[in-house]
Amino acid sequence: MNNNNTDIASNIIKLKERVANAALRSGRTINDIKIVAVTKTVEPERINIAVEQGLVDLGENRVQELCNKYGQVNGKCNWHLIGHLQTNKVKYIVDKVCLIHSLDRMELAEELQKRASQHGKILDVLVQVNIAKEETKFGINQEDAVEFIKEISKFENLKVKGLMTIAPLVEDPEEVRYVFRELRKLLIDIQMENINNIDMKYLSMGMSNDFEVAIEEGANIIRVGTAIFGHR
């Protein structure tokens, strides 16, 4: 897949077809799946092409890159912070993002609460869980998730809206189906706890190489970059 600007629109058409088919296999429609276009290292003019095609949810891994592009992209966009978030960077994005996918430690929750409170806003967050227990990945352990979320529920300016995970990169996405299945089970377990101030709505899982399997297992947010913009 090359990454000329003219390819972006056709890539999106193909992507939506694949998403629609995967959604159908899981008893849903494409309207049940939020596609977050991952814009890491993608120039604003190329992001604008995706926005024009209706992809208004944009995901950035790095705070600085999000801040640089914020305001350079046309139209009404929803920015998502999908990468690891350092506590000292929270202040730069708390007023810019609609959803933080990578809450993974109490220190970060405290900083998010502090900054959200200063801005008088409720900040929507997902808790990142390291289902596969990869040492190179961030996220809390599956077995610690319920207690962690109970603690987070006490923060008045944070609203936990679901869970996020990153599956190991493998040739055959079937190998990581268990990761997505386990995250969905965990989401259901947390729903059963009926924790106050917790709204388990989103499962953010699946990227360009494995989003179809993730959707089949219940993902309703996928984070896709390469399948839209081509290889960086």
Side-chain angles (χ1 to χ4, degrees):
M1 185 191 300
N2 65 47
N3 56 6
N4 293 333
N5 289 358
T6 49
D7 292 326
I8 294 172
S10 61
N11 288 344
I12 289 169
I13 291 166
K14 289 176 202 154
L15 170 65
K16 285 182 175 176
E17 256 175 49
R18 292 170 64 194
V19 170
N21 289 332
L24 204 59
R25 293 193 294 274
S26 70
R28 294 175 294 162
T29 74
I30 191 169
N31 297 327
D32 299 314
I33 316 295
K34 190 188 292 287
I35 301 171
V36 174
V38 179
T39 54
K40 181 180 177 183
T41 74
V42 179
E43 305 85 354
E45 61 269 23
R46 296 180 66 235
I47 299 170
N48 283 327
I49 296 167
V51 172
E52 284 159 18
Q53 299 298 313
L55 296 188
V56 295
D57 287 281
L58 307 175
E60 270 298 341
N61 293 68
R62 295 171 183 275
V63 167
Q64 189 173 351
E65 214 172 328
L66 190 153
C67 291
N68 289 345
K69 291 169 187 174
Y70 189 83
Q72 289 192 58
V73 175
N74 303 333
K76 180 79 181 77
C77 300
N78 307 311
W79 287 96
H80 298 241
L81 196 284
I82 59 174
H84 182 65
L85 181 54
Q86 294 170 288
T87 48
N88 64 345
K89 300 280 176 69
V90 167
K91 58 181 177 281
Y92 301 116
I93 51 119
V94 74
D95 59 334
K96 296 179 176 66
V97 296
C98 70
L99 186 63
I100 290 170
H101 291 232
S102 48
L103 175 54
D104 61 354
R105 59 202 188 281
M106 193 53 66
E107 176 196 21
L108 178 57
E110 288 164 355
E111 182 66 16
L112 288 168
Q113 165 60 32
K114 175 181 150 188
R115 299 295 178 178
S117 173
Q118 286 171 356
H119 283 268
K121 71 175 285 184
I122 305 293
L123 200 55
D124 288 345
V125 297
L126 303 180
V127 170
Q128 182 173 354
V129 185
N130 187 353
I131 294 284
K133 291 189 163 61
E134 286 186 281
E135 287 185 10
T136 55
K137 298 263 170 70
F138 295 102
I140 63 168
N141 287 331
Q142 188 174 351
E143 50 272 23
D144 300 328
V146 174
E147 284 310 310
F148 180 74
I149 286 170
K150 281 179 179 172
E151 286 299 308
I152 302 302
S153 72
K154 297 169 188 170
F155 292 107
E156 290 179 4
N157 293 75
L158 299 187
K159 186 81 174 174
V160 177
K161 302 293 282 188
L163 305 174
M164 183 271 254
T165 199
I166 303 170
L169 190 59
V170 291
E171 284 287 317
D172 178 6
E174 285 298 330
E175 288 177 35
V176 292
R177 185 179 287 275
Y178 80 94
V179 171
F180 306 132
R181 191 170 285 164
E182 286 297 315
L183 195 73
R184 180 156 187 267
K185 275 192 207 159
L186 180 59
L187 181 112
I188 292 165
D189 288 347
I190 295 163
Q191 283 173 334
M192 303 282 279
E193 294 270 342
N194 281 322
I195 306 164
N196 190 36
N197 194 33
I198 301 297
D199 175 20
M200 281 285 141
K201 182 178 180 182
Y202 292 122
L203 275 175
S204 171
M205 55 189 195
M207 300 194 284
S208 288
N209 56 309
D210 56 17
F211 70 82
E212 284 150 308
V213 170
I215 290 170
E216 288 167 8
E217 292 300 333
N220 53 11
I221 299 181
I222 58 171
R223 310 178 304 274
V224 179
T226 304
I228 296 167
F229 299 108
H231 291 285
R232 315 300 203 267

